Amino acid sequence: MRLPTNTDDARLVARTVRLVNSSPAYAALSAVTGFVGLNLFVVSQNINLFINVVVSGTLALDARLAVLFGLYPFVGTAFTATEGVVLLVVAAFFGVNLSMLTYQLRENRVSLREGSGSAAGMALGVLGAGCAACGTAVLAGILSLFGAAGALTLLPFNGLEFSLVALVLLALSVYWLADGMRGGEVRGCPVGY
Amino acid sequence: MASVAAAGAVGVTGCLGGNNDEGDTVPLDSHPISDGLEEQPSLGASDAPTAVVAFEDPSCHSCHSFETNVLPTMREEMIEMGDTRFYYRLFTQPVQPWGTDASKALEATYASDEDVFWELKSFYYDEFDFTTDDVLPRTREFLGDTSVDADGIVESARNGEYDDEVDSDMSVGERAGVRGTPTFFLVDGDEVVAQVVGPQSTSVFRNALGL
């Protein structure tokens, strides 16, 4: 697999993302999947609260919405500003990644292989959001794979590391998708070489 | 409504397994968190209509965030208003190794004086820069300015005299489905209505409990 090495690669990614999302349908797909991703990251940690209080229960609508929105970065207190920014960027990358993957699948009939970073990025995004609580079972399980069970001290940024790795994976996935379009056209415009 | 306290006093150990991710409220007296609940450190009126049962680790950064950013407003807006009783239970996991000794010292202090327990808990979360080597010496130094026997408490923490209490809280948390800290169980009347994970805002707690 190629890795981005210079500014031309960055320009290629930016141009391809812009061309694909210049279509209202793909822009909407990016926005919707990014929003869904953010919801998954945030709500996955509080499924019980979401089901029992937001979805069911007897509370008034405004109370339910206050509970729901209170779980999100910058509205509630569960995420620091840095964690919130990283989570939002991961969600945005996830949305862009899926819209580009969809474009490739529909227009160029490529395999799913180039989009494999989406799934990994999503999983790590959830894990990163999970680090809002200390010592989740998933996190402990991951660390035990490296013989570091019980050594959460190995994460100096308290789990933000997972979100940053998610960000790198999603960025690479977007690059590989853009790289696959190199030399082609998006909506009649050349992508570049 | 006063059954929050009553059910806790019953001390029935629940057998529900506890994660309850699928939803539905659970009667408090059949929920694992009711096991020994009334013997736990608590803040607020005993007849408060709602309760928040917290599982925390003194060395957990998210618990630190809750204790410093959220609990002060929760005390002001919910606990001191008589609406909510707050229970503190230890869920000591190896987030930082010093948390284990801190938990033992907290249990030992609670057995001696509940007011000093709350002071010591605040000390841990306020300072939050301990190591396994200095946590007990600094605990002794802090307790030296209080009414309790600082040497005796540190010694009993070292000797493992309160290990059973720490393990018991941990066991209750595991049966209740606690996977990370802080985790809170929201009790309305005699029903456990929801589980909250992470240092969520007072608004989330207040609204979820319909206050």
Side-chain angles (χ1 to χ4, degrees), chain B residues 119-133:
Chain B
E119 289 175 31
L120 179 61
K121 180 185 73 78
S122 297
F123 171 67
Y124 287 143
Y125 287 119
D126 288 344
E127 300 290 320
F128 209 64
D129 60 351
F130 299 93
T131 65
T132 43
D133 291 334

PDB file of all heavy atoms in Angstrom, chain B residues 119-133:
ATOM      1  N   GLU B 119     -13.392  14.375  53.475  1.00  0.00           N
ATOM      2  CA  GLU B 119     -12.237  15.281  53.337  1.00  0.00           C
ATOM      3  C   GLU B 119     -11.080  14.577  52.634  1.00  0.00           C
ATOM      4  O   GLU B 119     -10.430  15.152  51.757  1.00  0.00           O
ATOM      5  CB  GLU B 119     -11.772  15.762  54.724  1.00  0.00           C
ATOM      6  CG  GLU B 119     -12.716  16.741  55.394  1.00  0.00           C
ATOM      7  CD  GLU B 119     -12.251  17.065  56.819  1.00  0.00           C
ATOM      8  OE1 GLU B 119     -11.029  17.051  57.070  1.00  0.00           O
ATOM      9  OE2 GLU B 119     -13.124  17.306  57.676  1.00  0.00           O
ATOM     10  N   LEU B 120     -10.846  13.321  53.030  1.00  0.00           N
ATOM     11  CA  LEU B 120      -9.739  12.573  52.427  1.00  0.00           C
ATOM     12  C   LEU B 120     -10.016  12.311  50.946  1.00  0.00           C
ATOM     13  O   LEU B 120      -9.118  12.422  50.096  1.00  0.00           O
ATOM     14  CB  LEU B 120      -9.527  11.252  53.170  1.00  0.00           C
ATOM     15  CG  LEU B 120      -8.401  10.356  52.631  1.00  0.00           C
ATOM     16  CD1 LEU B 120      -7.044  11.064  52.723  1.00  0.00           C
ATOM     17  CD2 LEU B 120      -8.353   9.024  53.384  1.00  0.00           C
ATOM     18  N   LYS B 121     -11.248  11.973  50.646  1.00  0.00           N
ATOM     19  CA  LYS B 121     -11.616  11.736  49.237  1.00  0.00           C
ATOM     20  C   LYS B 121     -11.338  12.999  48.419  1.00  0.00           C
ATOM     21  O   LYS B 121     -10.753  12.941  47.333  1.00  0.00           O
ATOM     22  CB  LYS B 121     -13.087  11.338  49.130  1.00  0.00           C
ATOM     23  CG  LYS B 121     -13.537  11.082  47.694  1.00  0.00           C
ATOM     24  CD  LYS B 121     -15.013  10.800  47.609  1.00  0.00           C
ATOM     25  CE  LYS B 121     -15.880  12.015  47.810  1.00  0.00           C
ATOM     26  NZ  LYS B 121     -15.993  12.918  46.671  1.00  0.00           N
ATOM     27  N   SER B 122     -11.750  14.151  48.940  1.00  0.00           N
ATOM     28  CA  SER B 122     -11.493  15.417  48.222  1.00  0.00           C
ATOM     29  C   SER B 122      -9.997  15.666  48.080  1.00  0.00           C
ATOM     30  O   SER B 122      -9.538  16.153  47.038  1.00  0.00           O
ATOM     31  CB  SER B 122     -12.135  16.592  48.975  1.00  0.00           C
ATOM     32  OG  SER B 122     -13.527  16.429  49.004  1.00  0.00           O
ATOM     33  N   PHE B 123      -9.253  15.312  49.121  1.00  0.00           N
ATOM     34  CA  PHE B 123      -7.789  15.485  49.081  1.00  0.00           C
ATOM     35  C   PHE B 123      -7.194  14.692  47.912  1.00  0.00           C
ATOM     36  O   PHE B 123      -6.384  15.209  47.137  1.00  0.00           O
ATOM     37  CB  PHE B 123      -7.193  15.028  50.422  1.00  0.00           C
ATOM     38  CG  PHE B 123      -5.701  14.943  50.451  1.00  0.00           C
ATOM     39  CD1 PHE B 123      -4.913  16.082  50.356  1.00  0.00           C
ATOM     40  CD2 PHE B 123      -5.059  13.718  50.582  1.00  0.00           C
ATOM     41  CE1 PHE B 123      -3.519  16.000  50.387  1.00  0.00           C
ATOM     42  CE2 PHE B 123      -3.667  13.630  50.620  1.00  0.00           C
ATOM     43  CZ  PHE B 123      -2.907  14.776  50.521  1.00  0.00           C
ATOM     44  N   TYR B 124      -7.625  13.432  47.775  1.00  0.00           N
ATOM     45  CA  TYR B 124      -7.097  12.608  46.686  1.00  0.00           C
ATOM     46  C   TYR B 124      -7.417  13.218  45.319  1.00  0.00           C
ATOM     47  O   TYR B 124      -6.567  13.288  44.439  1.00  0.00           O
ATOM     48  CB  TYR B 124      -7.657  11.181  46.759  1.00  0.00           C
ATOM     49  CG  TYR B 124      -7.088  10.337  47.874  1.00  0.00           C
ATOM     50  CD1 TYR B 124      -7.887   9.432  48.569  1.00  0.00           C
ATOM     51  CD2 TYR B 124      -5.740  10.431  48.234  1.00  0.00           C
ATOM     52  CE1 TYR B 124      -7.382   8.645  49.583  1.00  0.00           C
ATOM     53  CE2 TYR B 124      -5.222   9.656  49.261  1.00  0.00           C
ATOM     54  CZ  TYR B 124      -6.050   8.768  49.929  1.00  0.00           C
ATOM     55  OH  TYR B 124      -5.524   7.999  50.937  1.00  0.00           O
ATOM     56  N   TYR B 125      -8.678  13.624  45.147  1.00  0.00           N
ATOM     57  CA  TYR B 125      -9.062  14.142  43.829  1.00  0.00           C
ATOM     58  C   TYR B 125      -8.482  15.535  43.571  1.00  0.00           C
ATOM     59  O   TYR B 125      -8.192  15.889  42.423  1.00  0.00           O
ATOM     60  CB  TYR B 125     -10.588  14.161  43.678  1.00  0.00           C
ATOM     61  CG  TYR B 125     -11.187  12.779  43.493  1.00  0.00           C
ATOM     62  CD1 TYR B 125     -12.106  12.269  44.405  1.00  0.00           C
ATOM     63  CD2 TYR B 125     -10.831  11.981  42.410  1.00  0.00           C
ATOM     64  CE1 TYR B 125     -12.652  11.005  44.255  1.00  0.00           C
ATOM     65  CE2 TYR B 125     -11.366  10.720  42.246  1.00  0.00           C
ATOM     66  CZ  TYR B 125     -12.280  10.229  43.167  1.00  0.00           C
ATOM     67  OH  TYR B 125     -12.812   8.977  42.997  1.00  0.00           O
ATOM     68  N   ASP B 126      -8.324  16.311  44.624  1.00  0.00           N
ATOM     69  CA  ASP B 126      -7.755  17.656  44.438  1.00  0.00           C
ATOM     70  C   ASP B 126      -6.271  17.581  44.091  1.00  0.00           C
ATOM     71  O   ASP B 126      -5.797  18.282  43.201  1.00  0.00           O
ATOM     72  CB  ASP B 126      -7.946  18.510  45.705  1.00  0.00           C
ATOM     73  CG  ASP B 126      -9.401  18.912  45.897  1.00  0.00           C
ATOM     74  OD1 ASP B 126     -10.177  18.791  44.926  1.00  0.00           O
ATOM     75  OD2 ASP B 126      -9.766  19.329  47.016  1.00  0.00           O
ATOM     76  N   GLU B 127      -5.551  16.743  44.812  1.00  0.00           N
ATOM     77  CA  GLU B 127      -4.095  16.659  44.583  1.00  0.00           C
ATOM     78  C   GLU B 127      -3.808  15.840  43.317  1.00  0.00           C
ATOM     79  O   GLU B 127      -3.162  16.308  42.407  1.00  0.00           O
ATOM     80  CB  GLU B 127      -3.403  16.024  45.793  1.00  0.00           C
ATOM     81  CG  GLU B 127      -3.595  16.807  47.096  1.00  0.00           C
ATOM     82  CD  GLU B 127      -2.833  18.126  47.094  1.00  0.00           C
ATOM     83  OE1 GLU B 127      -1.699  18.136  46.598  1.00  0.00           O
ATOM     84  OE2 GLU B 127      -3.376  19.133  47.592  1.00  0.00           O
ATOM     85  N   PHE B 128      -4.258  14.621  43.319  1.00  0.00           N
ATOM     86  CA  PHE B 128      -4.264  13.746  42.139  1.00  0.00           C
ATOM     87  C   PHE B 128      -2.886  13.538  41.494  1.00  0.00           C
ATOM     88  O   PHE B 128      -2.784  13.301  40.293  1.00  0.00           O
ATOM     89  CB  PHE B 128      -5.248  14.292  41.094  1.00  0.00           C
ATOM     90  CG  PHE B 128      -5.837  13.201  40.235  1.00  0.00           C
ATOM     91  CD1 PHE B 128      -6.637  12.216  40.786  1.00  0.00           C
ATOM     92  CD2 PHE B 128      -5.568  13.139  38.875  1.00  0.00           C
ATOM     93  CE1 PHE B 128      -7.167  11.200  40.002  1.00  0.00           C
ATOM     94  CE2 PHE B 128      -6.095  12.124  38.080  1.00  0.00           C
ATOM     95  CZ  PHE B 128      -6.893  11.167  38.658  1.00  0.00           C
ATOM     96  N   ASP B 129      -1.826  13.651  42.248  1.00  0.00           N
ATOM     97  CA  ASP B 129      -0.491  13.467  41.663  1.00  0.00           C
ATOM     98  C   ASP B 129       0.308  12.474  42.507  1.00  0.00           C
ATOM     99  O   ASP B 129       1.514  12.644  42.700  1.00  0.00           O
ATOM    100  CB  ASP B 129       0.248  14.811  41.584  1.00  0.00           C
ATOM    101  CG  ASP B 129       0.425  15.461  42.950  1.00  0.00           C
ATOM    102  OD1 ASP B 129      -0.178  14.966  43.927  1.00  0.00           O
ATOM    103  OD2 ASP B 129       1.161  16.459  43.045  1.00  0.00           O
ATOM    104  N   PHE B 130      -0.384  11.443  42.979  1.00  0.00           N
ATOM    105  CA  PHE B 130       0.251  10.504  43.905  1.00  0.00           C
ATOM    106  C   PHE B 130       1.031   9.427  43.158  1.00  0.00           C
ATOM    107  O   PHE B 130       0.854   9.227  41.953  1.00  0.00           O
ATOM    108  CB  PHE B 130      -0.812   9.845  44.792  1.00  0.00           C
ATOM    109  CG  PHE B 130      -1.567  10.824  45.636  1.00  0.00           C
ATOM    110  CD1 PHE B 130      -2.757  11.374  45.188  1.00  0.00           C
ATOM    111  CD2 PHE B 130      -1.074  11.221  46.871  1.00  0.00           C
ATOM    112  CE1 PHE B 130      -3.453  12.292  45.949  1.00  0.00           C
ATOM    113  CE2 PHE B 130      -1.765  12.140  47.641  1.00  0.00           C
ATOM    114  CZ  PHE B 130      -2.954  12.677  47.179  1.00  0.00           C
ATOM    115  N   THR B 131       1.872   8.753  43.906  1.00  0.00           N
ATOM    116  CA  THR B 131       2.548   7.558  43.393  1.00  0.00           C
ATOM    117  C   THR B 131       2.321   6.444  44.430  1.00  0.00           C
ATOM    118  O   THR B 131       1.867   6.719  45.556  1.00  0.00           O
ATOM    119  CB  THR B 131       4.068   7.780  43.254  1.00  0.00           C
ATOM    120  OG1 THR B 131       4.614   7.980  44.572  1.00  0.00           O
ATOM    121  CG2 THR B 131       4.374   8.982  42.382  1.00  0.00           C
ATOM    122  N   THR B 132       2.652   5.223  44.066  1.00  0.00           N
ATOM    123  CA  THR B 132       2.478   4.120  45.026  1.00  0.00           C
ATOM    124  C   THR B 132       3.366   4.337  46.255  1.00  0.00           C
ATOM    125  O   THR B 132       3.033   3.899  47.351  1.00  0.00           O
ATOM    126  CB  THR B 132       2.838   2.763  44.385  1.00  0.00           C
ATOM    127  OG1 THR B 132       4.028   2.922  43.624  1.00  0.00           O
ATOM    128  CG2 THR B 132       1.739   2.269  43.487  1.00  0.00           C
ATOM    129  N   ASP B 133       4.483   5.022  46.058  1.00  0.00           N
ATOM    130  CA  ASP B 133       5.399   5.230  47.183  1.00  0.00           C
ATOM    131  C   ASP B 133       4.924   6.316  48.144  1.00  0.00           C
ATOM    132  O   ASP B 133       5.158   6.213  49.350  1.00  0.00           O
ATOM    133  CB  ASP B 133       6.802   5.615  46.670  1.00  0.00           C
ATOM    134  CG  ASP B 133       7.485   4.453  45.982  1.00  0.00           C
ATOM    135  OD1 ASP B 133       7.144   3.298  46.329  1.00  0.00           O
ATOM    136  OD2 ASP B 133       8.322   4.685  45.102  1.00  0.00           O
TER     137      ASP B 133
END
